[in-house]
Amino acid sequence: MSDNSFHTGFVAIVGRPNVGKSTLLNQMIGQKISITSRKAQTTRHRVTGIYTDDVSQFVFVDTPGFQTRHRNAMNDALNQSVKTTLGDVDAVLFVVEAMKYGPADAEVLALLPKHRPVWLVINKIDKQTDKAVLLPFIQNLAQQFAFAGIVPVSAERGTQIKALLDDVRPHLPEGELLYPEDQITDRNERFLAAEIVREKLFRLLGEELPYSINVEIEKFDVDGALRRIYAAVFVDKPNQKAIIIGKGGEKLKRVSSEARVDMEQMFDGKVYLEVWVKVKSGWADDVRFLKQLTGE
């Protein structure tokens, strides 16, 4: 492999909440590192996923979904994170949902950099039974911005993922590896453990779960092949705590059990996990939490 044939660079994944950005990231790197859920705004952190092959290394930055509905200090910080990311990458993947383009998508489109190659990634094409209606939808969006390319995909099924990577690769700078070729993320195990707990909360509680929720790993000990992990779930109000715990503690036990299974698979070793819920009123507007969320 010669330096002049190897391409490596940073690629941002942007879009309104719930268009499948995290699923796309996981599919491209071939392993789950970013949480996925049907509930909007499950991604709050910039998660870097790394995909390396013989001729390239893609370093993906998964941004929070740009928020317009729930305005508070937390979401303002998340939106600023999106803007900052876009100014500091080599390429951008702008993800929209097939046949669904509205004001929230247009707001993200307005942020796209003119000096970087941007791909329009139309996700969830597997949900469209009549593929003929996709063409006018694509043609309309193609007129909104000077895209470097347009690739319809199904992130869930892996359709057209290789085609997307092949299209973007030549536009990345020539250079050497930025990370070891077997590394798939720059996040540590403590961060990934918190993300796994948070995903289980979103998946198991769905619409019951309040937006003002965060998971913090208060203790992470490694004892040989065993990891002892103690996670706190922060909510705004006492009644939210009751929702998460469930009758007889049933829901929290299920969250803990499923999170532990995922952690053992990801960390390739035994995990002892304890999860509890704490009430911290107004945490979504707390500056210290905001710095943690946006990685500052």
Side-chain angles (χ1 to χ4, degrees), residues 45-282:
H45 302 266
R46 286 178 50 171
V47 179
T48 305
I50 304 160
Y51 169 74
T52 308
D53 58 23
D54 289 340
V55 293
S56 59
Q57 184 173 79
F58 293 76
V59 183
F60 294 107
V61 182
D62 182 22
T63 64
F66 194 82
Q67 282 291 321
T68 57
R69 289 179 56 202
H70 305 279
R71 296 314 297 262
N72 57 23
M74 180 183 78
N75 283 330
D76 287 344
L78 298 181
N79 290 349
Q80 186 56 46
S81 175
V82 176
K83 295 175 185 176
T84 302
T85 300
L86 289 176
D88 195 30
V89 294
D90 301 297
V92 178
L93 304 182
F94 173 44
V95 186
V96 302
E97 187 174 346
M99 306 310 297
K100 292 184 180 178
Y101 184 86
D105 299 282
E107 287 205 30
V108 182
L109 181 75
L111 298 174
L112 298 178
K114 305 292 192 295
H115 60 293
R116 293 283 187 268
V118 178
W119 276 260
L120 174 64
V121 181
I122 301 173
N123 192 22
K124 306 186 185 181
I125 58 170
D126 53 303
K127 310 292 185 193
Q128 297 302 315
T129 51
D130 183 6
K131 297 295 190 283
V133 300
L134 279 173
L135 186 57
F137 178 77
I138 293 171
Q139 288 173 333
N140 178 55
L141 285 181
Q143 296 171 7
Q144 310 295 320
F145 190 89
F147 294 108
I150 300 175
V151 185
V153 305
S154 169
E156 194 170 292
R157 296 188 180 183
T159 308
Q160 288 275 90
I161 300 301
K162 183 181 182 300
L164 177 60
L165 292 170
D166 289 345
D167 207 25
V168 176
R169 182 179 290 110
H171 295 264
L172 298 181
E174 292 183 1
E176 299 179 350
L177 288 168
L178 296 170
Y179 295 92
E181 57 187 58
D182 59 348
Q183 188 171 339
I184 61 164
T185 182
D186 67 348
R187 292 295 194 173
N188 61 31
E189 290 187 353
R190 193 182 190 107
F191 169 83
L192 294 171
E195 287 292 276
I196 288 172
V197 172
R198 200 154 61 84
E199 179 191 41
K200 297 309 171 190
L201 288 164
F202 278 110
R203 281 190 172 273
L204 295 177
L205 293 167
E207 292 305 314
E208 293 179 86
L209 199 65
Y211 274 93
S212 349
I213 187 171
N214 190 47
V215 177
E216 187 176 290
I217 303 301
E218 299 199 330
K219 195 174 180 186
F220 192 116
D221 293 331
V222 179
D223 181 9
L226 173 68
R227 289 164 178 80
R228 300 180 190 275
I229 302 171
Y230 302 84
V233 180
F234 287 92
V235 294
D236 255 339
K237 301 169 185 174
N239 68 316
Q240 295 170 347
K241 179 177 180 177
I243 289 171
I244 292 172
I245 293 173
K247 189 175 180 181
E250 180 186 353
K251 287 184 179 177
L252 190 60
K253 284 177 190 171
R254 191 175 166 196
V255 165
S256 303
S257 175
E258 295 196 8
R260 180 183 54 78
V261 170
D262 271 18
M263 287 179 197
E264 289 184 339
Q265 185 178 357
M266 177 171 280
F267 303 147
D268 194 24
K270 287 291 183 184
V271 170
Y272 170 82
L273 175 66
E274 277 191 25
V275 183
W276 56 88
V277 187
K278 293 183 176 182
V279 178
K280 180 179 173 62
S281 182

Side-chain angles (χ1 to χ4, degrees), residues 24 37 149 185 256 293:
L24 179 66
S37 164
T185 182
S256 303
L293 291 174

Side-chain angles (χ1 to χ4, degrees), residues 18 36-42 156 202-203 207:
N18 215 18
T36 60
S37 164
R38 288 192 179 89
K39 190 178 178 78
Q41 201 221 322
T42 49
E156 194 170 292
F202 278 110
R203 281 190 172 273
E207 292 305 314

